């Protein structure tokens, strides 16, 4: 099992969810985060003093999947969230040792979906 | 010579301040309903209108709208820069209060009207073009219509149209303009379903304080602390209560639950509907006017808009336009000599309904066509819509380099 | 015949608008203190009261409360639908202002009273049952008590009870009812310790604007722009300042630090305490009344409530009930002919204290028993409490299918 | 004997309530601009001033400021505890309204002035020391200056200084004191660049409702529902519109985009600038006064402050101090017999400019030196600044054991 | 060492914390997240237009523990957060390579508790 | 590649970013979290009732780095965020299997920076 962490642009969330659904990945956990990356932040101005902050609003998806789903998930995310410009985000894949469904106590591949 | 009545001055000072307050309240009513990334852009538009239209009003607007009449169509330039507008009462407008005070009260109306439209532009208009457009609109749409209906010698006024506090001039006018602009601007990108309001309590605040301010708006339109003001005060309170309740039950019936946004919207719909009728009708008529206003508003907002699919983001047309039309017609139906200075259908004067309809139709035509023209001009010169990228990032950051809230300390 | 005084009309228009504004302010005072998932439900209840009770008032409420007296107990049905209530002043109520305006001012009181109770129901009441209950309460608890104390011929009024702006009628009445309902509803689930307010600035806003509106409430109860209004205005400002300060120091002493919520609560406690006394007492007495009100409120909120363990979520009983009782009695102590039209203990009229106590006790008994009865009826028919699951998810989503804020853009 | 005019009472009741409301509005204007962890501390300071200074005013402040004159310098103690201040009009102050009402109106001014300073202390002051300091300041800085400029026999008033609604007494006074305190307190830690406001809509709300309340502030300073009130009302509306617009264009020019915070700040700058001039100048002069006020404010906020590097966190000096100075001088330039009771340069009375400058300079010197002295005393006794650790954690948690918002349900 | 990520219902947080305390697990990091799972979201209605959003508020716990604590931690969470209805959440277990306490510079098992 | 998760004090964020920049680590994802640790929370008081909550505002950084950067990153964070008092936070290091840049589709070490 893998634990996929994807950082995407906030307004792409709907598209990504839709695309993931097509791949039958419909379980995930979403967090609003600030990304600090290559993408230049918009200079904010408060009373004339400029604040060059390179923190940008991003959305983080965490998706636990069985190994066979990894590529499909990654592809779906890439398809739906790419704009081709700096700031599109990243996908990180970590190894997931165990997954437990609280409701049933199921473990492993069973529990993931 | 006319004599100033101090009590009328006292009330009109308060009423004017209350109407001014409606624009910030509106900024929150609208601001709470948009997505977080656009909250400031909406507020900015309201506040800039407060400044820009306010200033234009002093320079030329008041003269255009209320200055000595030219052919029933427009005011002359005699009163620009408030020349001759002093603390001596005018012989026609608000004869018991200083002319300057009448001007100030009308200034607040001139401000709130274009501010109402802002809801239709939400989340996709370029600020610079907006500013250009709204000044033109105020000059060439609002001022003439105000002249026709309210000015000494205005042709709709001579025709006998009743408009206590601005049903046609303000709500129909702004509502139609909002519809036109929202169609011409096109839909926002990627809103398959409407996003939930980012801060509903702000919208609740806005509705509550619009209600508060509306007492200045309607009861103030009596231009004095007199019986008409009291009637307008009472009908205002009643119509909004009745409309809020009706909307709640409609929601309950059609959407399973009563909603906060529904009640808030209903209250505003009732306030709009009663506006032209406020000082002319009985409290019981106010209940009916409010209730039907809410019905119409609900129908347009939840059925007509989705059907046609125009993106009147915050339902300016559905609520202000349609309830304003209904209110103007209702005035023709329910106006009663027992309560005010006009008589309508129930007083045995059916012709008034037709007079009201005429005023509405003329306003719709003028506002609709005029707004479209101004839109094309502004769009041609500046481009009215932001780029898709700016829309995605949000207007706050792209148009104003600010964000409403920090995500982190 | 009575003559209308325009200046009184001017002031009473403003005062009525200010009191109306208190309900939205209250919605924020309470809304900010609950958990995020219940913010709309509180606001909804306040706004729906504004609509529903407002409408009932027009239809029958005003007639029940102020209509021609029947046996000192209740008003007749002569004034339902505002029949006969016109811009001509009544010969008893507000003789210098249109009868309609007096009715409108009282309408705002009829609205705010049940709205005050909402704080005790927070986070666990079913909306439909709430609506049913609150309408009954307004009809059968508020209207009679208002009649007894304020109406021409009301038996407590004949008894000589002094209640300038509604200590017994409004605050004791609502406070006791709140206590009863909070006990009958039971505690919220899983609140081992009270959760911190989800948006304290909203509560701060609410307190500040309640203060603002309270000038209309108290000074407006003079029913004119006269000396009594000025006295009430000044005592209102002073009592709340003194109470706010005392609460701050109590907090400092008992909880190590002065708190914002403490000051805000203290201000409200002072406003409540001065309400029945506002136009009757000296500024110096106002300092004392406010200070002691704060002491009592603090004691009930921080000691008595935890001791007994009832879940009066937002301390309606502790603040409104207890400070209202204190204020009513204080009126009997401090009323002075030098400042108003009543005299109390310090004027050498100790019997007034007893008269005040009687009025309070009667209100407590009637409100307590009546509220319990209505509660059982409503609970039997609809069930007053939401399911545990709904409570966990929050009332906003379950009762209104809305959320206050979006978590994400 | 002077006779009470009911209409003046009606207006002054409203105006006083409006000015009281400005303090909560200010709490939001400032509160929205600080970081989230300090929002309550700012609001707390505003509200506590409302209580503490309000109470002091009743006890001794009013007597010090307006009591029977002693040598032109200070009021006697004859009116402490409001002895002799009744509903009978005073023979000098507000001769058509109850003396108590004049006192109440002035109370609101005494409250808002120190509240304005709070913006300069933001995010680093110890609450207890703040409280001690601000009471001293109110007693020994505000009261004397108010006496000099406004009291019967005050030496600056005898000198002929014009100050309609408190340019020198309020804005210059508070602005200079703010500058002094912000320098003495030192900079906040680790703010290499200013953090973005944590809740800009709150600041927008604050600015809008300050605008609303300012009508009470300026038009109320006419002390009646008269021509001067109307002139002040109109000039207030105009100056702020013009200033808001100018600031917007300055932002546009220097920072690429027009900003919401810019417009809000501009509106406040315009309101400050017109304050001393409000009832003395023409509407056209008001446009100029507002515009130049905005220019000066913009220059000080965006250029001078960064250059010198003092940490006047919310620009109290830049906006209130500098625009107040400008307004006071502008009064000397634009005052015109055609609009009010003073005449300035344009009326051919150039000496008035010098008189105004004198009043400003004296206020600056007295306020600057006096504030520094009081600061040293308070700092010596209590220590004015919180520890670095407390600053990092935030004042809400460390000074008040509360947080503004919950992060989680 | 393991890195446990648990997604639970928001109102269960208090219970979970209490139960974890019993197992002497009192260090954790908590985030408010949106969960997209089997559990149906409540249909929201804004001006009559229904928004069928299946994002639900959840709370995410991140707990780094020594291997011997893993089962106790998982058990405690399951005990205290199960309601037996869809939406109870999941527990994910990842391998944790290193843990460092910033204050002391301690590493590994020492640093975790 | 490693996936570094660091919990720090909120007001240290600026310093940490600056220090990381010096080590040429300028890509990260930031979340506001609540930390439950040894550090005692400040007792909050609402209407006299004390709420002893031990949840404290913290900031979580997630930084994916190549192996050679791990120690530099850890050092930089420790240098800049240590105050020496309880509550300084922790650094967790997880193994990162894969990293993908959405914009370009690059994978692995290429994609990380
Ligand atoms: N090494 C990393 N560790 C953690 N988060 C990262 C890393 N690299 C990128 N991100 C996240 O991805 C977002 C987009 O990255 P950015 O460099 O701006 O664009 P791109 O990936 O298109 O080059 C960043 O804002 C950040 O949140
Ligand atoms: N595979 C997954 N990856 C990430 N998060 C998940 C996954 N499965 C479940 N979750 C999280 O757990 C929550 C509860 O899951 P849900 O399917 O609704 O209930 P249950 O686990 O009881 O079947 C979801 O809202 C989501 O946040
Ligand atoms: N084992 C852990 N698992 C998850 N988060 C932890 C763990 N230990 C510490 N933390 C996080 O680090 C923060 C600081 O830890 P704390 O124990 O207060 O201080 P210190 O690390 O200096 O002893 C905590 O608030 C928590 O967010």
């Amino acid at each position: 099992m893998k634990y996929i962490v994807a950082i995407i642009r906030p307004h792409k969330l709907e598209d990504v969810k839709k695309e993931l659904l097509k791949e039958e990945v419909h379980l995930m956990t979403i967090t609003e985060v600030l990304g600090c990356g290559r993408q230049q932040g918009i200079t904010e101005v408060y009373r004339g003093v400029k604040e060059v902050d390179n923190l940008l609003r991003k959305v983080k998806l965490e998706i636990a999947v069985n190994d066979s789903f990894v590529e499909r998930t990654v592809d779906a995310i890439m398809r739906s969230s790419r704009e081709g410009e700096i700031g599109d985000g990243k996908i990180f894949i970590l190894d997931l040792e165990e997954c437990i469904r609280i409701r049933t106590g199921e473990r492993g591949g069973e529990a993931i979906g | 010579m006319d004599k100033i009545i101090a009590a009328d001055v006292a009330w009109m000072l308060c009423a004017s301040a209350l109407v001014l307050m409606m624009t910030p309240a509106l900024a929150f009513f609208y601001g709470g309903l948009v997505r977080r990334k656009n909250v400031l852009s909406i507020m900015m538009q309201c506040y800039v209108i407060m400044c820009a239209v306010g200033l234009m009003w002093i320079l030329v607007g008041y003269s255009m709208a209320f200055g000595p009449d030219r052919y029933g169509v427009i005011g002359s330039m005699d009163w620009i820069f408030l020349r001759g507008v002093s603390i001596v009462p005018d012989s026609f407008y608000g004869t018991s209060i200083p002319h300057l005070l009448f001007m100030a009260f009308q200034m607040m109306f001139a401000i709130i009207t274009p501010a109402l439209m802002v809801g239709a532009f939400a989340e996709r208009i370029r600020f610079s073009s907006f500013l250009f457009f709204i000044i033109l609109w105020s000059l060439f749409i609002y001022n003439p219509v105000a002249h026709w209906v309210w000015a000494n010698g205005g042709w709709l006024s001579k025709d006998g149209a009743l408009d206590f506090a601005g049903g046609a001039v303000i709500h129909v006018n702004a509502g139609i303009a909002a519809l036109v602009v929202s169609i011409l601007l096109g839909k926002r990108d990627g809103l398959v379903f409407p996003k939930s309001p980012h801060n509903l309590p702000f919208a609740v605040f806005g509705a509550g304080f619009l209600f508060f301010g509306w007492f200045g708006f309607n009861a103030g339109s009596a231009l004095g602390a007199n019986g008409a003001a009291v009637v307008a005060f009472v009908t205002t309170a009643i119509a909004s209560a009745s409309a809020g309740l009706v909307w709640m039950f409609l929601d309950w019936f059609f959407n399973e639950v009563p909603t906060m946004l529904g009640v808030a919207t209903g209250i505003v719909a009732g306030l709009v509907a009663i506006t032209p009728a406020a000082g002319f009708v009985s409290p019981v008529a106010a209940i009916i006017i409010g209730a039907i206003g809410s019905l119409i508003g609900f129908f347009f907002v939840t059925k007509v808009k989705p059907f046609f699919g125009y993106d009147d983001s915050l339902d300016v047309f559905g609520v202000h336009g349609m309830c304003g039309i209904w209110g103007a017609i209702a005035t023709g139906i329910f106006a009663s000599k027992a309560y005010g200075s006009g008589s309508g259908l129930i007083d045995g004067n059916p012709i008034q309904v037709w007079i009201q309809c005429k005023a509405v139709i003329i306003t719709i035509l003028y506002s609709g066509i005029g707004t479209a023209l101004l839109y094309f001009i502004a769009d041609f010169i500046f481009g009215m819509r932001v780029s898709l990228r700016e829309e995605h990032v949000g207007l706050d950051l792209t148009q104003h380099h600010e964000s409403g809230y920090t995500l982190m300390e």
Side-chain angles (χ1 to χ4, degrees), chain A, chain B:
Chain A
M1 296 172 292
K2 300 292 172 200
Y3 196 76
I4 301 179
V5 176
I7 316 286
I8 60 168
R9 297 182 190 272
H11 71 268
K12 286 291 180 191
L13 178 59
E14 282 311 315
D15 293 346
V16 172
K17 271 172 60 189
K18 222 179 295 167
E19 208 64 28
L20 283 171
L21 220 74
K22 287 193 198 146
E23 305 293 336
E24 280 164 51
V25 177
H26 33 242
L27 295 165
M28 66 188 113
T29 300
I30 304 171
T31 319
E32 191 166 40
V33 297
L34 288 176
C36 178
R38 285 162 193 275
Q39 188 189 357
Q40 273 305 93
I42 289 174
T43 308
E44 298 179 37
V45 192
Y46 296 99
R47 287 204 171 139
V49 190
K50 286 172 198 178
E51 181 169 324
V52 193
D53 201 351
N54 61 342
L55 296 181
L56 289 145
R57 301 200 170 192
K58 299 278 172 191
V59 161
K60 179 170 87 171
L61 310 178
E62 285 163 281
I63 314 174
V65 291
N66 282 316
D67 293 340
S68 58
F69 273 77
V70 173
E71 281 312 307
R72 296 163 58 179
T73 305
V74 167
D75 285 354
I77 296 175
M78 297 205 36
R79 262 204 312 280
S80 52
S81 74
R82 175 193 271 140
E83 287 196 344
E85 286 183 62
I86 288 181
D88 276 354
K90 297 260 173 83
I91 301 174
F92 303 112
I93 304 177
L94 290 91
D95 190 58
L96 178 61
E97 293 205 341
E98 184 62 291
C99 168
I100 307 157
R101 188 191 305 280
I102 292 176
R103 174 162 48 92
T104 58
E106 287 162 286
R107 297 203 166 206
E110 295 280 276
I112 221 160
Chain B
M1 220 205 88
D2 294 300
K3 242 196 81 240
I4 288 179
I5 298 172
D8 291 352
V9 175
W11 167 236
M12 292 309 294
L13 287 169
C14 292
S16 305
L18 280 170
V19 183
L20 184 274
M21 185 272 288
M22 292 173 73
T23 300
L26 188 73
F28 276 79
F29 186 56
Y30 285 166
L33 295 178
V34 298
R35 282 169 293 173
R36 200 171 51 193
K37 61 187 175 186
N38 295 315
V39 55
L40 293 178
S41 74
I42 282 282
M43 295 187 166
M44 179 75 172
Q45 288 166 25
C46 291
Y47 275 59
V48 163
I49 285 173
M50 203 153 71
C51 295
V53 173
L55 198 62
M56 295 303 294
W57 185 252
I58 302 298
L59 300 182
V60 298
Y62 181 63
S63 194
M64 284 176 73
F66 290 94
D69 178 63
R70 290 287 172 274
Y71 322 110
V73 175
I74 193 76
S76 76
M77 288 289 127
D78 296 4
W79 293 352
I80 57 169
F81 290 81
L82 303 186
R83 265 199 329 237
V85 181
S86 75
I87 61 169
V88 178
D90 184 69
S91 57
F92 185 83
Y93 305 120
T95 53
S96 65
I97 57 172
H99 193 180
L100 267 176
L101 183 51
F102 176 79
M103 184 285 302
F105 185 64
Q106 288 297 336
M107 174 175 163
M108 306 316 173
F109 280 60
I111 287 171
I112 189 96
T113 309
L116 290 173
M117 295 166 56
V118 159
F121 313 165
E123 312 200 304
R124 59 202 191 283
I125 207 167
R126 167 165 296 153
F127 180 75
S128 51
S129 338
F130 152 82
L131 184 58
F132 178 73
F133 169 78
I134 213 75
I135 288 175
L136 291 188
W137 193 89
S138 166
L139 286 178
F140 300 117
I141 312 292
Y142 181 78
N143 290 339
V145 176
H147 186 83
W148 303 346
V149 177
W150 282 331
N152 185 3
W155 69 286
L156 288 176
S157 143
K158 278 191 294 192
D159 200 45
L162 297 173
D163 193 353
F164 192 75
V169 180
I170 292 176
H171 296 289
V172 178
N173 201 353
I176 295 298
L179 179 65
V180 169
V181 174
S182 72
I183 292 171
L184 294 176
L185 263 178
K187 290 180 161 206
R188 286 166 291 171
D189 181 65
L191 280 187
V192 274
F193 50 79
K195 277 308 218 177
S196 41
H198 92 282
N199 196 324
L200 210 35
F202 279 0
V204 172
F205 164 78
F209 277 71
L210 279 174
F211 193 171
F212 175 41
W214 224 291
F215 288 119
F217 197 92
N218 283 358
S221 291
L223 300 179
N226 49 36
V230 172
V231 169
F233 190 100
V234 170
T235 55
T236 301
I238 297 176
S240 61
S242 135
L245 218 54
V246 167
W247 199 297
M248 182 188 83
F249 284 116
L250 290 169
D251 249 351
W252 215 330
F253 188 77
F254 287 103
N255 304 315
E256 286 170 69
V257 290
T259 65
M260 180 68 249
L261 182 55
V263 171
T265 311
I267 287 173
V268 174
L271 291 166
V272 170
I274 199 65
T275 295
F280 295 126
V281 302
S282 72
V284 174
I287 298 179
I288 302 169
I289 292 175
I292 297 181
S294 212
L295 260 168
I296 295 175
F298 187 85
F299 180 68
F300 267 79
V301 166
T302 68
K303 307 289 166 207
V304 175
K305 185 173 89 164
F307 181 79
F308 285 105
Y310 55 89
D311 187 10
D312 176 9
S313 325
L314 308 179
D315 296 308
V316 184
F317 172 67
V319 174
H320 293 276
M322 289 312 302
C323 294
I325 292 174
W326 157 243
I329 297 169
T331 309
I333 300 172
F334 293 105
S336 152
K337 280 283 180 207
Y339 287 89
S341 60
S343 46
L345 184 62
I346 61 158
D347 257 17
N349 182 24
I351 194 76
Q352 189 65 39
V353 181
W354 169 235
I355 297 175
Q356 298 296 107
C357 288
K358 261 198 308 191
V360 166
I361 294 166
I362 287 157
T363 307
I364 292 176
L365 289 177
Y366 185 75
S367 175
I369 297 169
T371 303
L373 272 176
L374 296 181
Y375 182 92
F376 290 130
I377 294 172
D379 195 31
F380 181 78
I381 304 183
F382 294 105
M384 286 294 270
R385 192 156 173 162
V386 296
S387 73
L388 204 59
R389 179 149 209 95
E390 291 172 312
E391 199 176 326
H392 287 158
V393 175
L395 302 193
D396 290 2
L397 270 176
T398 58
Q399 305 293 297
H400 309 297
H401 292 190
E402 292 170 300
S403 15
Y405 317 90
T406 47
L407 198 59
M408 198 151 303
E409 223 128 276

